[in-house]
Amino acid sequence: MTSSQVGKIHDGSEAVGGDAPEEGYERGLGSRQVQMIAIGGAIGVGLFLGAGANIAKAGPSLIVMYALAGVIIFFIMRALGELLLYRPVSGSFAEYSREFLGPFFGYFTGWTYWLMWVVTGMAELTAAAIYVHYWFPAVHQWVTALVFLVVLFVANLISVKLFGEIEFWFSMVKVTALLGMIIIGIGVLTFGFSSAGDTASVSNLWQFDGFFPNGIGSSLMTLQGVMFAYLAVELVGVTAGESEDPEKTLPKAINTLPWRIALFYVGALTVILCVVKWTEFAPNVSPFVAAFAKIGIPAGAGIVNFVVLTAALSSCNSGMYSTGRMLRNLAESGEAPKVFSKLSSTKTPAFGVTVSVLFMGIGVILNYVAPGKAFGYVTSVATAAGIWTWLMILVSHILYRRAVDAGRLPASSFPAPGGAKCSYVAVVFLLFVTGLIAYDAQSRICLYVMAVWAAALAIGWAVLKARNPQVTQRREPELEKVG
């Protein structure tokens, strides 16, 4: 939607106070669902599957990398939170880029966030197919990926309430399982039961070639994979236009992020690396599945495999949700075909979701052509697109704080601690991670993909400017009292 349309509902009437309804959307996401979407967004396939390869590179020091990246993610989310309570809109990242940096950046950010979720959806489908392969090795990965793609697509077309409910239960499974893993792991360490009891020890964190077994450089190189694990934490911002009470639910969801990171990432990894020495984990196997297989709990590895399958499907489900909303935001701004702006009878952007799912189907083809490399290819592209999105959130926040300090804009009811200082720190960190991606020959390909993507968007912008110059002009948003 265009900036000038903020604060109007579908029939053209004015919005009231802080309700800020998004045009035509149903506010079908309750507090319970938004909270669990926020929690589940921080627990994805990047942790459950990607951590295996990162443990092989960094050993126990991976714990520090997750903690460091987690601090930066909190800075990003508090910056986003301040912007969301200043103006809560669906497709928020593109809207804020459009307002503070200009129409081109809104256009570029919206399309790049769409790309991020499309390729993330491919990664999740690949991971889900790998997990099913654990039980049914005779079933081809591409078949499983296709079945999951169709099922989630149908669910997303029905209603936002169904999306929220599915995501709630997916997230509930992930959270409950991770808590169970941590408790069982602590039990093994404390009481020494199970077949892993004899070797389980906190000393496993430094006993095998030290805490940084391959050097600090190798540990830092895992940051690109670690950042992929945190993709989707910003999804709570996309739900802003469909949350029942954004002034209350969004700050609560964002403020719980530190303990979620501390418990589910740092805590869970610390426990499994104490229970099983890091040298026993393989790159292409979930460390959580491997840890439970080592502990020897009957059907334990199978249960964990089901949980990580749920995590992958949860993220893919979120991807379908967010891509449809972002395409609609672009269409309402004149930056995508108008057909994407239409809502179905169930108030979902059905056409946008359908087109996004068709592109996610490329992941099914990748699983057919290169099943062993599909996951690595798509995660690197998703990380690069995610870093751009986070950078735009941070830069928009910095410019917003300047406008507030100058008296040009009203202050948000949810200011980020430290003002813009933490945003500057996060910008430097993300640029550093981008440098690491450029340094690594294997992941560098994603920067080439992003360069081609940027060139394609630049051509699209030039065509857009020639056909409809008004779309490319800066517009002032209609502000509302929020919070």
Side-chain angles (χ1 to χ4, degrees):
M1 100 183 154
T2 62
S3 298
S4 62
Q5 289 169 320
V6 175
K8 301 187 189 291
I9 55 177
H10 197 53
D11 62 6
S13 60
E14 295 294 328
V16 180
D19 292 341
E22 188 76 3
E23 283 194 0
Y25 283 133
E26 175 187 7
R27 286 199 179 275
L29 296 177
S31 176
R32 168 180 67 92
Q33 293 167 325
V34 172
Q35 293 299 320
M36 199 54 75
I37 286 170
I39 292 172
I43 308 169
V45 71
L47 172 65
F48 283 125
L49 181 61
N54 288 326
I55 289 172
K57 291 179 185 176
S61 65
L62 183 64
I63 297 166
V64 175
M65 298 301 111
Y66 271 104
L68 176 61
V71 171
I72 300 301
I73 290 297
F74 181 62
F75 291 166
I76 295 169
M77 290 303 294
R78 281 306 301 258
L80 176 59
E82 183 166 357
L83 291 168
L84 285 172
L85 270 292
Y86 148 69
R87 197 159 68 90
V89 288
S90 188
S92 55
F93 327 115
E95 274 297 312
Y96 302 137
S97 300
R98 196 172 287 123
E99 178 180 351
F100 295 107
L101 289 129
F104 175 76
F105 286 93
Y107 157 85
F108 196 100
T109 300
W111 277 109
T112 301
Y113 193 66
W114 174 83
L115 173 71
M116 185 199 91
W117 269 114
V118 165
V119 294
T120 298
M122 294 180 195
E124 308 300 356
L125 287 171
T126 301
I130 290 171
Y131 297 143
V132 171
H133 197 259
Y134 175 85
W135 292 303
F136 306 104
V139 178
H140 294 294
Q141 279 186 210
W142 71 269
V143 174
T144 310
L146 180 61
V147 170
F148 287 140
L149 184 71
V150 172
V151 171
L152 292 177
F153 168 58
V154 172
N156 263 269
L157 292 185
I158 295 175
S159 74
V160 68
K161 285 185 178 179
L162 180 60
F163 158 78
E165 203 60 30
I166 290 173
E167 201 54 33
F168 174 84
W169 289 107
F170 273 166
S171 296
M172 183 67 78
V173 169
K174 291 187 287 186
V175 169
T176 303
L178 269 179
L179 288 173
M181 290 180 208
I182 292 170
I183 292 169
I184 291 171
I186 291 174
V188 172
L189 286 168
T190 306
F191 302 107
F193 63 80
S194 88
S195 57
D198 294 337
T199 56
S201 171
V202 176
S203 63
N204 283 340
L205 295 178
W206 60 82
Q207 206 168 30
F208 301 94
D209 298 322
F211 191 71
F212 291 89
N214 297 320
I216 294 177
S218 291
S219 299
L220 289 174
M221 290 304 295
T222 65
L223 281 174
Q224 50 189 305
V226 168
M227 295 309 289
F228 172 76
Y230 284 119
L231 291 183
V233 293
E234 75 293 323
L235 181 65
V236 69
V238 182
T239 69
E242 292 170 273
S243 301
E244 289 177 353
D245 192 359
E247 301 88 21
K248 292 181 181 178
T249 57
L250 296 179
K252 186 177 179 182
I254 291 169
N255 278 335
T256 57
L257 187 64
W259 73 258
R260 283 185 270 135
I261 289 172
L263 182 64
F264 297 131
Y265 279 87
V266 179
L269 277 175
T270 300
V271 168
I272 69 166
L273 286 170
C274 287
V275 171
V276 182
K277 58 186 180 180
W278 73 271
T279 54
E280 294 188 18
F281 293 109
N284 295 320
V285 178
S286 168
F288 294 91
V289 173
F292 267 66
K294 176 70 175 177
I295 291 171
I297 295 176
I303 292 170
V304 176
N305 199 64
F306 170 75
V307 173
V308 295
L309 170 63
T310 302
L313 296 179
S314 166
S315 188
C316 189
N317 187 42
S318 297
M320 291 182 187
Y321 169 86
S322 57
T323 49
R325 272 71 185 171
M326 193 56 72
L327 284 179
R328 184 169 189 253
N329 177 271
L330 289 162
E332 291 286 352
S333 300
E335 297 162 359
K338 277 294 179 187
V339 67
F340 288 121
S341 66
K342 295 180 181 179
L343 293 178
S344 67
S345 58
T346 56
K347 296 184 179 180
T348 61
F351 188 74
V353 173
T354 302
V355 171
S356 300
V357 167
L358 289 174
F359 276 94
M360 286 182 190
I362 295 172
V364 176
I365 298 171
L366 272 177
N367 275 283
Y368 178 76
V369 176
K373 298 180 179 179
F375 186 77
Y377 285 153
V378 293
T379 54
S380 62
V381 175
T383 303
I387 287 174
W388 173 267
T389 301
W390 290 334
L391 282 171
M392 289 302 98
I393 291 171
L394 294 167
V395 174
S396 295
H397 177 249
I398 291 168
L399 295 175
Y400 165 70
R401 288 304 295 250
R402 286 183 187 174
V404 170
D405 293 342
R408 296 193 303 273
L409 289 176
S412 170
S413 61
F414 188 48
K421 296 184 184 68
C422 292
S423 290
Y424 279 113
V425 172
V427 166
V428 172
F429 180 86
L430 292 179
L431 292 176
F432 173 68
V433 173
T434 304
L436 293 177
I437 292 173
Y439 180 76
D440 185 1
Q442 286 186 322
S443 61
R444 192 183 302 149
I445 188 173
C446 76
L447 297 182
Y448 301 142
V449 173
M450 290 304 296
V452 173
W453 176 252
L457 288 182
I459 293 169
W461 183 254
V463 172
L464 194 64
K465 195 169 184 178
R467 289 183 176 178
N468 191 357
Q470 281 187 318
V471 171
T472 62
Q473 294 171 3
R474 187 185 288 267
R475 297 172 291 261
E476 293 300 318
E478 288 183 11
L479 301 179
E480 304 172 30
K481 181 179 179 295
V482 179

